[in-house]
């Protein structure tokens, strides 16, 4: 868990710790990075780290939460303005600028962090996207879970293919896979 207040100094410290962690990850395995090494790289004290984060994974969770909150708040504003931008295109354009974080999370096989962050943000901004659904209803729960699952699959495929496929190509492949659920068994013929 992280404990980041809306305070400029706290946010600056959290950002320094996040950047420090990325620098450490570029040099050594995530699991072998110590908090001591991390705070030295970040230029903050151990007490600052533990005041803001419980463990290293929380630094990545904080960064991912911040990323998806920014993504979905900005997309909600676009939707409310009446502008029509396909969600996949918006995600790709936005996440291309955040690829460093996504690459790290995928390389560390921490898709659970991406999923939790997206789910949290989409629930926060759900009124802007699907105001006709009752929060907590079965339809709402399925919708949130499926959107999050599709997003994780999309991001994972996009990153693993070196971001060579554009959003339309990945979207078409996703539709093909969804359609195969109703048409085909998973068994080879």
């Amino acid at each position: 868990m992280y404990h980041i207040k809306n305070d400029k100094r706290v946010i600056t410290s959290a950002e320094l710790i996040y950047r420090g962690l990325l620098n450490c990850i570029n040099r050594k395995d995530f699991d072998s990075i110590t908090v001591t090494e991390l705070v030295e790289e970040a230029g903050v004290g151990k007490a600052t780290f533990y005041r803001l984060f419980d463990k290293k994974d929380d630094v990545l969770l904080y960064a991912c939460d911040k990323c998806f909150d920014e993504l979905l708040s900005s997309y909600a504003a676009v939707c409310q303005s009446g502008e029509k931008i396909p969600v996949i295109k918006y995600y790709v354009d936005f996440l291309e600028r955040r690829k460093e974080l996504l690459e790290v999370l995928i390389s560390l096989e921490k898709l659970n962090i991406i999923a939790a962050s997206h789910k949290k943000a989409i629930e926060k901004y759900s009124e802007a996207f699907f105001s006709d659904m009752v929060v907590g209803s079965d339809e709402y729960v399925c919708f949130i879970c499926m959107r999050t699952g599709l997003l994780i699959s999309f991001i994972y495929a996009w990153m693993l293919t070196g971001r060579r496929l554009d959003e339309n190509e990945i979207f078409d492949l996703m539709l093909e896979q969804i359609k195969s659920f109703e048409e085909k068994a998973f068994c080879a013929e």
Side-chain angles (χ1 to χ4, degrees), residues 1-134:
M1 180 172 248
Y2 59 85
H3 320 278
I4 312 296
K5 298 175 188 152
N6 195 13
D7 174 271
K8 188 177 179 177
R9 289 179 306 162
V10 169
I11 292 169
T12 299
S13 294
E15 290 297 319
L16 288 171
I17 292 168
Y18 169 64
R19 286 278 145 217
L21 181 59
L22 290 181
N23 290 340
C24 288
I25 288 170
N26 286 330
R27 291 194 307 270
K28 67 191 291 191
D29 182 62
F30 179 79
D31 292 330
S32 65
I33 298 168
T34 66
V35 171
T36 301
E37 292 169 318
L38 171 54
V39 296
E40 284 175 8
E41 181 68 34
V44 300
K46 247 186 189 180
T48 299
F49 177 87
Y50 285 112
R51 189 170 40 257
L52 303 180
F53 303 101
D54 294 341
K55 57 188 188 291
K56 293 180 300 186
D57 278 20
D58 296 337
V59 177
L60 297 173
L61 178 61
Y62 163 72
C64 200
D65 279 356
K66 190 175 160 200
C67 174
F68 281 110
D69 188 78
E70 188 180 326
L71 167 66
L72 289 168
S73 71
S74 65
Y75 192 64
V78 166
C79 292
Q80 290 171 341
S81 76
E83 189 175 354
K84 301 289 184 202
I85 299 174
V87 69
I88 294 292
K89 177 167 180 29
Y90 197 85
Y91 271 53
V92 167
D93 291 346
F94 185 91
L95 295 173
E96 179 65 37
R97 297 185 306 268
R98 306 302 190 287
K99 64 186 173 204
E100 183 178 35
L101 171 62
L102 297 173
E103 287 170 345
V104 165
L105 290 167
I106 288 170
S107 73
L108 296 174
E109 297 184 7
K110 297 205 180 271
L111 298 178
N112 60 317
I113 290 176
I114 299 171
S117 294
H118 182 265
K119 184 177 179 290
K120 185 185 304 180
I122 200 166
E123 286 175 343
K124 180 177 178 181
Y125 297 102
S126 64
E127 185 66 31
F129 304 122
F130 30 89
S131 59
D132 57 331
M133 284 189 212
V134 176

